[in-house]
Amino acid sequence: MTIKRWRPLWSYCVEETEQWLAEMARDGLQLSNIQRFSRFFQFEKVASIETTYQIQYGKSAQLAKTLQNNGWQEVVKVKHWQIVKNDHPTVSLFPSRDGVLRRISSHQDKWSRFAIISALILLIIFIPFCFMLFMLDFEDLAPIWWMIPISIVILAVSNIRLSIFLKRQLQALEKTYFNTTIDQVQATGKTFRKWKNTWAYFPKIIERWLMKMAAQGNILVKVNGNFFIFEEGQNEKVSYACEMRKRVEPSYFDMHKEAGWQLKHKTTQHFGSFVIWAKQYKEGETIPTLGQDITEERKQTFRTYLKRSASLIFLTVLNLIHLLLRIKDYKFGVDIGDKTDLGILAIVAIVVLLSISISILINISYKYFFKERKLH
C-alpha cells in the first residue's frame, strides 16, 4: 500500500522533516521515494519501527564507508539529495551537515535580495496606490486597478516572509551545528554604551576604534544592534578583527576559537554575516590577526558599500521624483481636493525622508573613500 504526503518546504526545514519521517516510521509508514518538484513523499505500509533519519545534500553526496559500518543505509537519493537512516537504538556518529547548511545559506542570500527588491516595489506601487484611492472615489476604479496592486503586494510580502523564514531556519541550524556561542564578559563594574551607526560596513575603522578603547581600559562586553557596551577597567592589549563574510563555513568558528580567538559578536544581514573576534596579547608581541586575504577583504568591503549605496541612491531618486510630483500638484491646485494641509504635511514628510537618505549616503561614502580604504 502506497501513501503520499505533501511537504512543500521540507528542504529548508531539515530537522523537522527528519523528525517527521521518524514519526511516520513509528506509525508503520516507511519512506520509499521523493518527488522533488511536486514535493510529495511516498511511503509504503510496513511494520512499525524506531529509526533515525538524516538528510544530506551535495553534488557528490555519498554515504561514507565509516557511516555504513555504523549502521547508516541509503533510503532515497534524488539528484543532489540523499536521505539515510539508522535502525540502531543509539547512534553516536552522524553524517555531515555541511552541504545542507551551504544550500540554505545560499538560498537565504538570494531570497534576501528578492526581499529587498520586494520592499522597494511596495514603496513604489503600494504607497502611491493608497494615495490614488484617497484622491479618487472608490466607484471610479475598475476591478483591474484593484487586482494588479493587490497581486503585487501579495507576491512582495510572500518574498519578504520567505526571506525571514529562511533566516530563522539558518540561525537555528547554526546554533545547533556551529560553535557560535558568544564569549561575553560578565560585567562587574561600571558599564556604558557607545552608538556606532553603519559600523558593520567599515570593519577596519571598527577594529582600530575597539583596540583604542581597550587601550584606554574600556573592555567590550557585548554588541547590541548599533550599540557597543563597554565596562570600565584596566588598560589591555587586545586585537580585534571584524569580518564580513558572504557565507560562513561550518568549520569557521571552531577554527578561530581553537586558535585562541573569542567570538564577541555575530549577526546576519542581507549582505552577509558580520563577525567580531577578539584576542589578548602581551606587550612586545606581534598583534594577532586572522590572516585574511587583503585583496578579498577589500573586494568584500567594496561590494558591501556598493550594495548599500545603490539602495540609498534608489530611495533618494524615488523620494525626489515623488517630491517633484507633489510640489507640481500642489502648485496647480490639484492636491487631494481642498485638503491643502494634508498636502503640505506630505511634502514635509517626503523632504525629511529625502534628507535622511542623502545624509546617510554622504556619510557612508565619506567613511569608505576617506577612512576605510586608507586602512587596508
Side-chain angles (χ1 to χ4, degrees):
M1 180 180 176
T2 302
I3 297 175
K4 291 185 178 181
R5 293 287 186 270
W6 188 54
R7 201 171 178 87
L9 297 176
W10 70 268
S11 59
Y12 296 139
C13 307
V14 175
E15 289 187 317
E16 292 88 341
T17 301
E18 291 169 350
Q19 294 172 5
W20 173 68
L21 290 173
E23 291 173 1
M24 296 293 282
R26 281 194 295 270
D27 294 337
L29 295 174
Q30 186 72 38
L31 179 66
S32 60
N33 194 19
I34 298 176
Q35 296 175 3
R36 191 161 58 97
F37 294 106
S38 62
R39 321 300 285 179
F40 275 100
F41 283 68
Q42 185 174 309
F43 298 88
E44 298 294 335
K45 188 70 176 177
V46 296
S48 176
I49 186 174
E50 289 285 342
T51 188
T52 303
Y53 283 92
Q54 190 89 359
I55 298 174
Q56 292 189 99
Y57 180 84
K59 293 184 178 180
S60 58
Q62 297 291 335
L63 193 58
K65 201 70 175 176
T66 307
L67 293 172
Q68 294 180 32
N69 294 336
N70 279 267
W72 289 97
Q73 53 184 308
E74 182 181 293
V75 179
V76 173
K77 186 172 184 179
V78 181
K79 195 64 182 285
H80 301 318
W81 289 102
Q82 184 186 42
I83 299 181
V84 296
K85 70 172 185 175
N86 195 323
D87 296 334
H88 291 180
T90 56
V91 182
S92 58
L93 185 64
F94 289 86
S96 173
R97 285 287 196 203
D98 289 9
V100 172
L101 288 166
R102 287 194 190 98
R103 180 180 183 273
I104 295 178
S105 177
S106 174
H107 284 213
Q108 194 272 332
D109 180 56
K110 293 174 183 176
W111 281 109
S112 293
R113 297 177 189 177
F114 289 143
I116 294 173
I117 296 173
S118 299
L120 295 176
I121 289 175
L122 287 178
L123 290 173
I124 297 171
I125 296 177
F126 185 65
I127 294 178
F129 180 68
C130 291
F131 273 108
M132 184 179 68
L133 288 180
F134 192 78
M135 293 169 62
L136 300 175
D137 293 331
F138 296 101
E139 298 177 356
D140 296 338
L141 294 176
I144 187 65
W145 293 110
W146 285 96
M147 294 170 61
I148 294 177
I150 290 175
S151 300
I152 293 174
V153 168
I154 292 174
L155 181 60
V157 171
S158 299
N159 285 339
I160 294 172
R161 290 192 63 183
L162 181 58
S163 173
I164 295 172
F165 169 77
L166 285 178
K167 182 178 180 179
R168 289 176 177 172
Q169 289 295 120
L170 183 61
Q171 288 176 340
L173 287 171
E174 286 181 348
K175 287 181 180 179
T176 304
Y177 298 100
F178 287 5
N179 188 10
T180 57
T181 304
I182 303 298
D183 302 310
Q184 291 187 353
V185 176
Q186 295 297 327
T188 57
K190 183 180 178 181
T191 61
F192 64 96
R193 60 177 58 190
K194 291 280 189 178
W195 187 70
K196 287 287 184 180
N197 189 28
T198 65
W199 65 268
Y201 304 104
F202 309 107
K204 291 301 179 185
I205 294 176
I206 291 298
E207 288 175 9
R208 297 293 194 279
W209 176 66
L210 288 174
M211 292 174 69
K212 182 179 178 181
M213 293 292 287
Q216 295 173 354
N218 301 315
I219 310 304
L220 180 64
V221 177
K222 65 177 180 178
V223 182
N224 187 9
N226 289 327
F227 286 99
F228 287 72
I229 301 173
F230 296 90
E231 180 185 12
E232 294 182 357
Q234 296 186 2
N235 300 354
E236 290 185 355
K237 295 288 184 179
V238 183
S239 174
Y240 285 93
C242 181
E243 278 200 303
M244 296 182 296
R245 300 183 69 88
K246 185 177 180 181
R247 293 188 183 91
V248 179
E249 296 296 324
S251 60
Y252 171 77
F253 296 98
D254 285 327
M255 178 178 65
H256 291 310
K257 286 193 174 187
E258 289 173 1
W261 288 90
Q262 291 183 324
L263 181 61
K264 291 298 183 180
H265 179 71
K266 178 189 176 297
T267 183
T268 302
Q269 299 183 11
H270 296 302
F271 302 137
S273 296
F274 300 91
V275 187
I276 297 179
W277 294 98
K279 187 176 183 179
Q280 288 187 337
Y281 65 99
K282 296 180 180 179
E283 186 74 35
E285 292 182 348
T286 304
I287 299 177
T289 62
L290 292 180
Q292 307 105 310
D293 183 272
I294 296 178
T295 303
E296 182 59 32
E297 192 177 5
R298 287 175 179 171
K299 290 181 180 179
Q300 180 63 37
T301 306
F302 181 63
R303 284 194 294 263
T304 305
Y305 164 75
L306 280 182
K307 291 175 183 178
R308 178 66 172 173
S309 59
S311 62
L312 287 170
I313 290 172
F314 181 84
L315 288 175
T316 301
V317 173
L318 179 65
N319 285 323
L320 185 60
I321 294 173
H322 199 180
L323 176 63
L324 293 175
L325 291 175
R326 299 292 296 178
I327 292 175
K328 178 182 177 182
D329 290 344
Y330 185 78
K331 180 179 179 181
F332 289 97
V334 295
D335 185 77
I336 313 178
D338 296 328
K339 302 177 181 179
T340 55
D341 291 341
L342 185 60
I344 294 174
L345 288 175
I347 292 175
V348 171
I350 296 171
V351 169
V352 171
L353 292 174
L354 185 62
S355 302
I356 292 173
S357 60
I358 291 176
S359 63
I360 295 175
L361 179 61
I362 293 173
N363 181 38
I364 66 171
S365 298
Y366 171 77
K367 283 185 177 179
Y368 176 75
F369 287 105
F370 293 98
K371 292 185 176 181
E372 179 70 21
R373 288 184 64 179
K374 293 181 179 180
L375 296 175
H376 282 278

